[in-house]
Every structure is written in structure tokens, then in C-alpha cells.
Amino acid sequence: MTDQPVTDDDDTHRPAGPFPLTGQIQRLLQRVRASDRRRPLVWDGLLTTFWVLFAVLDVSSGGWRTVAVNQDVSATLVLWMSVAFSAPLLWRRSHPLAVLMFMAPFSLVNVWTGAVIQAAFLQEIVVFNIALRQPMRTLAWSGGIVLAPLVIGSGHFPDDWNRLFAPHLYAFAFASLVGIVVRTRKEYTEALVDRANRLELERDQQAQLAAAAERTRIAREMHDIIGHNLSVITGLADGGAYAAAKSPERAAQALDAIGTTSRQALAELRRLLGVLRDHPDQADRTPQPTLDDIDTLLAGVRRAGLPVRLHRRGTPPAVPPTPGRQLTVYRVVQEALTNTLKHADTDPSLTAEVTLTYRPTELEALITDNGKPHPTAGPSDGTGQGITGMRERASLYDGTIEAGRPAATGWHVRLRLPLEDSLS
């Protein structure tokens, strides 16, 4: 036999969350608060009626004489004082300080005559409401209003001073403390709710910002993929149409290249859109293009009819650039050659060069062509949508883009990309 660990049955079967009785009390209090917020006048009326009846019954039964210092006080006066202490509770929340001031003369008469009726303690209900809702300065004033008549009236019975004054002093302190505690808990709860609401709002805003950034990234990727591949397909189609009459074999090669390029474009689009459609665990995880894929990119451009040469200068770093930086270089080269390829059909002598230069702290990509500006085209400042996309990509890694026509002929795009993130 194996020894079994001894467990406490109470701990094992203890229900999760609050105890059943505590939960019932909390739910009851929540319903009471909700009803009070919906119908405040109803609750104020019920509370006032209850205490008025209690005070009248205390007078009619003579119960007040059990604690009275002077039992010869007129019953009519005791009745009026009982009503004066209970009826104004109807306005305890709207005008609490005024209610206390109204009760103050009756409190003085109560102690001065020695009746000491229990209804005088109803003042503490008003004090509780002041501590719960009013500034602390108002609570201090209420202390003076409640205690001053007691000090004056107790002078009429010096031997019973402690009996007349001390209970009301303790009751005032207790009501004030309970009101402050409830108020503190209420404010703390409201602060937590407000913080939760703000965190939820910030979470929603962050989600919206992330979605907007992702939409921008996807739009940029689709622009590069579709724009480049369509330009290649257009060049191949034009070349195939030109060669069809003289060299059917070359036309067939152009058609094969169009099919290959189209399939590559569709594969890239499916991979990109699959990230949106599929669950993250099911999405295609084919690596993004890197610097090693530039040769393949240039081969496709050559098939489309644009002669392009690649030069590599400098020594690549021992640790290759991050995939994001390599993708940025690839897309900039792709976009620059796409723009050049669009003009290849109007300028058969157009050629391009791509130069990758490795330096100790940066990688430079220079894409140039020998094209001439169109006679009807105005001066270009490099602010097209393609250039804007290049700049957005470069800025992600603190890179810069220069684009323009420095001489009468030729267009160039220069990307300078730091190999490491800036520490500033």
C-alpha cells in the first residue's frame, strides 16, 4: 500500500469565489443600491416613515423614560422632538447641513430638559450622509452643529454630563468613520472601474493602430508584388508579340516566361492573403525574399526585355542583415526596376544597373538607368506612390531614400540602410 496525502475536506470542497452567504448579501446590497438609484424618493420616503413611526411608538409606549434624566418632561414636547428628529431625514441627502441645523435647537432642548430621547441619535444618519458625499470641511461643521447643543445642554445636569454627552460623541465619531470608509471604498471601486475602462479603450486603440499598420504593410507588399510582376508580364507580352512574326520559338519562350512569372505572382499573393484568411498556426510560413533572391529578381527583369547588371562591392558582414532589412533592400530594388521597366517599351536602348555596397555600418543599394525624360513630362521630384512606399520601408530601419535624375539622362534610386538599429 502507498501512503495517501492527508487533505482537509473543508479546503477540498470549498467552493470557488465568495462564500454562498457572502455572495447572497452582496447581491442583495447591489439590488438595494440599484433600486435606490432608480427611485431615490421612494427609498427616502420609506426610511423617513420607518423612523417617524419608531419615534412615535417610543413616545407612546413611554420607552424614552427608561433612559431619561428627567421623567417629568411633557409627553407632547417629547413627541414634537421625536418628529423633529425623524421627519427631516427625507432631505438628508439633498440638504444635509440644513437638516442638522434644523435639528440643533431640538437637540439642545432634549438635553436641557433631561428627556434624552433616543430619536436624537437619528442625527448620525445625516452625519453619515455628509461623510459619504460632502467635503471634509462640511463634516467638520456638522460636528460642531451636533456637539455644541450637547455641551450647552449638559451644563444643566452637571452630575450627568458624561451620560448626556459621551454617547453622542461616540456615535458621531462612529458615523463619521463608517461614512469615510464607505466613501473611500466607493471611490476606490470607481477608480478601478475607470482604469479598466481606460485600459479597454487603450487596448482597442492599440488594436486599431496595429490593424492600420498591418493594412499599410499588406498594401505596400501587394503594390510591390503586383506592380513588378505585371510590368514583367507586360514586357514579355510586348516582346513576344514583336517576335511572333519573325521567330516563333522566341515567342513561345516569352509565353513560357509569362506563365512562370504569373504563377510566381499568384503564389506570393496567396501567401500574403493567406496570413489574413488563415489561423496564425495554419498560415504559410514561406520565407520573405532576401538579398540572395536578387539574382532571381534580375533574371525575371532580363526576360521581360530590360538588360540589367548587378555589382557587389565591399565585404558582407559576418552576421547577415536582419530579414526585415534584406526584404527592404529587395523591395526597393524591385520597385526601382519596375519603374524603369515601364519605360522599356518606348526606349529599346534602356539599360539598368544595380550596385550593392557594403560598408562597416550600412548597406547601400544604388539602382540607375540610362533612360531619357519624356518630352511631355514635367520635372519629377521623386514623390510618386512608388517612391513614397520606398521611403516608408526605409524609415522602418532608419534608412534614407534618394531618387531623382541628377543628369540629363538616367534615373537613380539610392537606398542607405544602417546594418544595426540606432541606440538613441
Side-chain angles (χ1 to χ4, degrees):
M1 296 179 62
T2 59
D3 295 336
Q4 297 295 331
V6 179
T7 60
D8 189 345
D9 292 340
D10 293 340
D11 292 338
T12 302
H13 301 287
R14 180 174 296 171
F19 291 105
L21 180 59
T22 305
Q24 293 176 6
I25 294 175
Q26 290 178 353
R27 287 191 292 271
L28 177 61
L29 290 176
Q30 289 175 358
R31 285 196 292 267
V32 170
R33 294 192 191 100
S35 299
D36 187 24
R37 287 192 295 268
R38 290 194 301 267
R39 303 179 183 88
L41 292 179
V42 173
W43 282 96
D44 289 345
L46 290 175
L47 179 68
T48 303
T49 302
F50 172 79
W51 287 115
V52 169
L53 293 176
F54 177 82
V56 172
L57 288 175
D58 184 53
V59 174
S60 62
S61 64
W64 63 276
R65 289 188 172 87
T66 59
V67 295
V69 176
N70 180 14
Q71 299 184 4
D72 297 330
V73 180
S74 169
T76 303
L77 178 60
V78 172
L79 177 61
W80 278 109
M81 287 192 296
S82 299
V83 174
F85 283 124
S86 55
L89 292 178
L90 185 62
W91 299 278
R92 73 189 190 283
R93 287 195 281 196
S94 58
H95 303 87
L97 205 59
V99 170
L100 281 184
M101 295 179 66
F102 176 82
M103 293 179 176
F106 296 95
S107 177
L108 176 59
V109 173
N110 179 44
V111 180
W112 186 269
T113 59
V116 199
I117 59 175
Q118 301 301 303
F121 284 99
L122 295 178
Q123 296 176 97
E124 311 313 330
I125 296 179
V126 185
V127 171
F128 169 80
N129 280 271
I130 291 177
L132 182 62
R133 298 182 177 88
Q134 301 294 323
M136 296 304 296
R137 182 175 58 183
T138 305
L139 181 61
W141 278 104
S142 68
I145 296 173
V146 171
L147 299 179
L150 299 175
V151 173
I152 297 173
S154 299
H156 195 230
F157 297 94
D159 295 337
D160 296 297
W161 187 87
N162 187 57
R163 177 184 173 187
L164 298 174
F165 180 77
H168 287 274
L169 176 62
Y170 298 149
F172 174 82
F174 178 76
S176 301
L177 181 61
V178 172
I180 292 173
V181 170
V182 174
R183 176 178 187 165
T184 302
R185 183 178 180 275
K186 179 181 178 182
E187 291 176 349
Y188 177 71
T189 303
E190 291 175 350
L192 289 179
V193 172
D194 179 68
R195 182 172 181 269
N197 292 335
R198 285 189 286 106
L199 288 176
E200 183 177 2
L201 179 61
E202 291 176 3
R203 182 198 63 188
D204 293 341
Q205 291 176 343
Q206 291 296 330
Q208 293 174 1
L209 291 175
E214 186 64 10
R215 285 195 298 269
T216 302
R217 185 190 70 82
I218 292 173
R220 189 165 51 231
E221 290 288 330
M222 292 186 68
H223 172 272
D224 293 342
I225 293 171
I226 295 176
H228 172 74
N229 286 286
L230 286 181
S231 296
V232 171
I233 291 172
T234 301
L236 289 170
D238 291 342
Y242 177 79
K246 297 182 179 181
S247 178
E249 295 180 357
R250 294 191 60 185
Q253 293 176 355
L255 291 175
D256 290 339
I258 290 174
T260 301
T261 303
S262 300
R263 284 189 290 272
Q264 291 175 350
L266 288 174
E268 290 191 61
L269 285 175
R270 288 194 184 102
R271 175 185 56 77
L272 183 62
L273 297 178
V275 175
L276 300 178
R277 182 176 58 252
D278 297 335
H279 189 275
D281 296 335
Q282 302 172 352
D284 186 4
R285 298 183 182 276
T286 303
Q288 292 275 32
T290 64
L291 294 176
D292 296 333
D293 297 307
I294 289 183
D295 289 322
T296 304
L297 171 67
L298 300 188
V301 173
R302 295 187 189 102
R303 287 197 303 269
L306 175 64
V308 57
R309 290 181 294 177
L310 174 64
H311 307 281
R312 287 186 172 92
R313 298 174 181 173
T315 304
V319 179
T322 61
R325 285 179 168 80
Q326 295 191 52
L327 177 62
T328 297
V329 176
Y330 181 93
R331 294 302 188 197
V332 168
V333 173
Q334 183 185 55
E335 176 65 21
L337 292 177
T338 299
N339 293 336
T340 301
L341 193 59
K342 292 177 182 178
H343 304 284
D345 57 341
T346 60
D347 188 357
S349 64
L350 190 63
T351 61
E353 292 187 359
V354 177
T355 304
L356 299 180
T357 304
Y358 291 94
R359 297 191 178 93
T361 59
E362 71 174 11
L363 170 62
E364 179 184 279
L366 176 63
I367 305 94
T368 60
D369 63 47
N370 62 346
K372 299 179 181 179
H374 196 278
T376 61
S380 175
D381 58 357
T383 58
Q385 293 298 322
I387 301 300
T388 301
M390 294 182 194
R391 289 200 172 99
E392 290 177 352
R393 287 186 179 276
S395 64
L396 293 176
Y397 301 98
D398 297 329
T400 60
I401 287 287
E402 297 176 4
R405 194 180 302 275
T409 61
W411 177 270
H412 85 274
V413 175
R414 188 189 304 273
L415 165 67
R416 288 192 176 95
L417 198 65
L419 293 177
E420 296 181 357
D421 292 328
S422 176
L423 298 179
S424 58

